Amino acid sequence: MAKVFKRTYSYAFLIPAAIIYLLIFIFPTIMSFFFSLTRWNLTSWTFIGLDNFKMFFQEASLLIGFKNTLIYALVTCVLKVVLGLLLGVFLTSKIRAKGYLRSVIFFPTLLSTIAVGITFSMMMHPTQGLINTALAAIGIAGPDWLGDTRIALLSVALVDVWKGVGFATVIYIAGILSIPQEYYEALEMDGGGAFRKFWNIILPLSRPATNSVIILSFIGGLRSFDLVWAMTKGGPGFTTDLIASIIYKQYQGGYYGLATAGNVILFIVVTALALPLYSYLNRKEAEL
Amino acid sequence: MSRKIKGLGIEVIAILLTIVIFWIPFYFVIVNALKDKKESSLLNLAWPSTIHLWDNLKEVITARDYMLLRAFYNSTLLTVISITVLILVCAMAGFVMQRRNDRATPWLNFLVLSGLIIPPAIVPTIWVLNGIGLFKTLPGLVLVEVALGFPFGVLLYKGFMAGIPREVDEAAVVDGSSGLGLFYRIILPLLQPVTATIIVTSSVGIFNDFTNPLYFFPGAKNATVQLTLYNFQSQFVTQWNLLFMNILLITLPPLVLFIVFNKKIVAGMTAGSVKG
């Protein structure tokens, strides 16, 4: 029987997957550790030790990418969790326009990031942009959203939230709908109001949804590239450069070793932050 | 009664907010796609004095020697081929990985899970594609899309496979079916719900992908719709009406998909993201 079993579920089924996945994803990942220690141009390389990494930590224009990436990931993640939860609660309550609201909030998830980026950079134009024209109409002088070095990164992060909050909301809706009705009934027997319903039932029991949203949006935020690239190209100066956009700039400049070192740094940042976060959240979940 | 009114008030405010936050940007794109160059440069919400739908459409399509049409062709081909390969590869792998349990299992699971977290190593991937002669080619880009979509796809198939009883397999094997026959004739049709999910969600993802084509599919002949839009950004710098028309055109496919498969997309997006 074991022989039949082996023949039926033959590992031969894994061959196409193995070839593609190992060759195109795993192998380059392993090689990136080697190439990050070299100066190379796809055909020949010189071994230069840790010089690329030193460069990354000494150049202000490269180092800023770290800080920005962390800020960006944190801001987008927190906003998606908070707004996603609130919208999730609101859209699972007894309201008539539920279907419409869910669809509208979810729709931006399906849009092309480049299109969203271009549209918003037009709307954020300091003098002609829609946002500042609207603000001026009610007597507020709007800032230069993408030109002011202090807020440019946050402006991009807000657009990211606009685009991604629908996804977080959908995960929360799924999580809230899977809470058994008995809990609500028990609370009603006790005479608890809407706030207690949220605080004592929805918040603790939508924990798995919260964990999913945190992990997905945090990792997504750390790896973010296309929205920033479409909106600011890392500017003004380097104030909105993320690790991923720095990798692209180095690649464009032909600094393949440096770009690969950036990739390795991104790899380390993502695993060093995401894995502990993931296991911490899972432990918390198990305690429930 | 007063609670009812309060509830209604909140709903009305919510709907008004969606109009401001979501409909206005959308309207902004549509209205400016219909204007002439001069009017669209004002970047406002005013209705166009004359509608330039056809002129703008023609101009965007004919720009740079029908670049947009080629881009649509490339993007469609990329999406269709990638998804076909992705489904076959993921379903086969998911089938065996769920049914077998031996010493290799934890390692395989680890490899797949790491693919969900690890950012792809870009330049080394270019080096590999270059080495096998597929850099700057559509097949090369297909391989990249499949490799990156593989972990999520396998997890979905594995999860669904767990719900298909082994008795089904055993009955087929007793009837003399080989592993391959069992998979194609019985298992793959049963996996249809996951297949539909992957088709809908991945097609949006791959069609909208910008980063991978940017790196692995450079060159003017090789435009995908996202790259074309990105390149038009610098070319139409004073012709915003054309830029908006372009945005409108590349938003249409996901929009149609959304209208047809709204529920399916939402179900697919949440599949596997919430345990419990």
Side-chain angles (χ1 to χ4, degrees):
Chain A
M1 197 64 215
K3 224 163 126 183
V4 172
F5 178 88
K6 272 220 168 84
R7 211 175 46 226
T8 308
Y9 305 125
S10 158
Y11 272 134
F13 277 107
L14 288 179
I15 291 172
I19 290 175
I20 297 176
Y21 188 60
L22 294 177
L23 182 70
I24 306 292
F25 182 77
I26 301 288
F27 178 56
T29 303
I30 296 166
M31 286 311 285
S32 69
F33 288 90
F34 167 72
F35 283 127
S36 66
L37 306 173
T38 64
R39 189 179 299 116
W40 68 311
N41 56 7
L42 293 185
T43 47
S44 62
W45 59 79
T46 355
F47 191 80
I48 55 167
L50 291 171
D51 283 7
N52 287 324
F53 292 94
K54 280 195 198 120
M55 180 100 154
F56 247 97
F57 292 106
Q58 283 163 355
E59 284 275 331
S61 62
L62 300 177
L63 201 55
I64 193 174
F66 268 114
K67 196 180 92 198
N68 289 343
T69 306
L70 287 178
I71 293 172
Y72 188 86
L74 231 107
V75 169
T76 50
C77 183
V78 168
L79 284 174
K80 281 175 191 173
V81 169
V82 173
L83 291 171
L85 174 62
L86 293 177
L87 288 167
V89 170
F90 181 59
L91 296 177
T92 46
S93 61
K94 289 189 179 69
I95 49 173
R96 262 146 304 193
K98 218 182 309 197
Y100 159 79
L101 289 169
R102 282 185 192 180
S103 300
V104 167
I105 290 168
F106 181 73
F107 181 63
T109 310
L110 304 175
L111 294 172
S112 129
T113 313
I114 301 297
V116 169
I118 293 174
T119 307
F120 269 91
S121 40
M122 305 262 189
M123 297 200 321
M124 288 176 167
H125 191 284
T127 50
Q128 287 182 297
L130 217 44
I131 297 176
N132 281 357
T133 330
L135 287 175
I138 50 172
I140 303 172
D144 183 354
W145 299 98
L146 299 171
D148 184 333
T149 52
R150 284 163 309 174
I151 58 166
L153 187 66
L154 290 179
S155 302
V156 180
L158 283 181
V159 178
D160 194 315
V161 173
W162 179 90
K163 189 176 183 305
V165 79
F167 182 52
T169 308
V170 164
I171 293 178
Y172 268 113
I173 289 173
I176 292 169
L177 289 178
S178 67
I179 298 173
Q181 284 296 322
E182 291 85 19
Y183 290 100
Y184 300 129
E185 285 158 16
L187 187 80
E188 264 167 35
M189 295 277 229
D190 292 347
F195 177 75
R196 279 198 48 201
K197 185 170 137 183
F198 172 75
W199 194 253
N200 296 342
I201 297 177
I202 294 179
L203 200 57
L205 290 174
S206 61
R207 194 69 211 229
T210 304
N211 292 354
S212 299
V213 174
I214 291 178
I215 288 288
L216 289 172
S217 53
F218 193 68
I219 294 178
L222 290 175
R223 291 164 59 164
S224 213
F225 166 68
D226 40 10
L227 188 65
V228 167
W229 198 249
M231 288 182 77
T232 63
K233 300 243 185 332
F238 301 102
T239 45
T240 55
D241 252 330
L242 304 175
I243 297 179
S245 66
I246 288 174
I247 293 172
Y248 184 65
K249 283 180 178 174
Q250 301 307 334
Y251 164 73
Q252 267 188 312
Y255 303 108
Y256 294 164
L258 205 54
T260 312
N263 237 128
V264 170
I265 289 171
L266 185 60
F267 171 92
I268 292 167
V269 168
V270 170
T271 43
L273 292 172
L275 286 180
L277 184 67
Y278 183 72
S279 56
Y280 167 78
L281 292 175
N282 268 349
R283 249 206 329 277
K284 277 282 201 204
E285 203 173 305
E287 282 168 14
L288 279 173
Chain B
M1 190 65 212
S2 72
R3 273 192 65 175
K4 258 212 168 111
I5 292 174
K6 203 174 108 185
L8 198 65
I10 291 177
E11 260 190 82
V12 170
I13 291 171
I15 291 170
L16 286 177
L17 273 178
T18 59
I19 290 174
V20 172
I21 297 173
F22 296 105
W23 284 104
I24 288 186
F26 207 58
Y27 177 79
F28 172 67
V29 171
I30 293 172
V31 101
N32 280 294
L34 303 176
K35 291 178 182 175
D36 64 13
K37 183 175 147 184
K38 198 158 137 274
E39 274 184 25
S40 73
S41 70
L42 301 172
L43 289 180
N44 61 18
L45 289 173
W47 189 251
S49 53
T50 45
I51 300 229
H52 290 266
L53 174 68
W54 289 114
D55 311 352
N56 291 350
L57 202 57
K58 219 162 51 205
E59 202 159 349
V60 165
I61 289 174
T62 54
R64 295 171 75 177
D65 193 20
Y66 296 94
M67 173 78 104
L68 194 60
L69 290 187
R70 206 166 47 233
F72 261 102
Y73 172 77
N74 282 340
S75 277
T76 311
L77 207 61
L78 169 73
T79 309
V80 171
I81 299 174
S82 297
I83 287 177
T84 311
V85 178
L86 193 64
I87 284 167
L88 280 178
V89 165
C90 290
M92 288 200 298
F95 162 68
V96 171
M97 281 171 73
Q98 197 276 324
R99 286 297 195 245
R100 279 183 88 122
N101 197 350
D102 50 29
R103 263 173 316 177
T105 307
W107 290 101
L108 291 174
N109 288 339
F110 169 76
L111 270 182
V112 168
L113 279 175
S114 62
L116 288 175
I117 297 177
I118 298 174
I122 292 155
V123 193
T125 308
I126 290 176
W127 173 73
V128 168
L129 287 173
N130 212 11
I132 53 177
L134 293 179
F135 180 45
K136 297 185 190 180
T137 66
L138 197 66
L141 187 54
V142 166
L143 287 182
V144 170
E145 296 289 1
V146 172
L148 298 183
F150 173 74
F152 183 67
V154 160
L155 287 180
L156 286 189
Y157 276 117
K158 254 176 67 184
F160 198 82
M161 271 305 292
I164 299 176
R166 279 171 186 262
E167 285 77 15
V168 172
D169 306 19
E170 281 157 18
V173 172
V174 168
D175 284 347
S177 182
S178 66
L180 204 61
L182 160 73
F183 173 75
Y184 276 106
R185 274 202 305 275
I186 295 159
I187 299 292
L188 198 56
L190 285 174
L191 292 173
Q192 214 181 0
V194 183
T195 305
T197 297
I198 292 185
I199 289 176
V200 171
T201 50
S202 300
S203 59
V204 176
I206 295 173
F207 190 83
N208 281 340
D209 188 11
F210 168 72
T211 313
N212 292 315
L214 181 73
Y215 276 113
F216 306 113
F217 203 51
K221 278 259 182 291
N222 289 344
T224 66
V225 284
Q226 308 302 328
L227 283 182
T228 310
L229 176 61
Y230 173 74
N231 292 330
F232 279 2
Q233 203 187 348
S234 48
Q235 198 202 344
F236 291 157
V237 83
T238 54
Q239 296 172 291
W240 283 336
N241 52 338
L242 300 186
L243 200 55
F244 285 119
M245 180 54 86
N246 194 340
I247 289 175
L248 208 55
L249 286 177
I250 73 167
T251 307
L252 282 179
L255 182 66
V256 171
L257 209 69
F258 176 68
I259 291 166
V260 179
F261 293 109
N262 185 352
K263 283 201 170 63
K264 186 91 223 157
I265 293 178
V266 171
M269 289 265 176
T270 49
S273 59
V274 183
K275 292 193 297 252

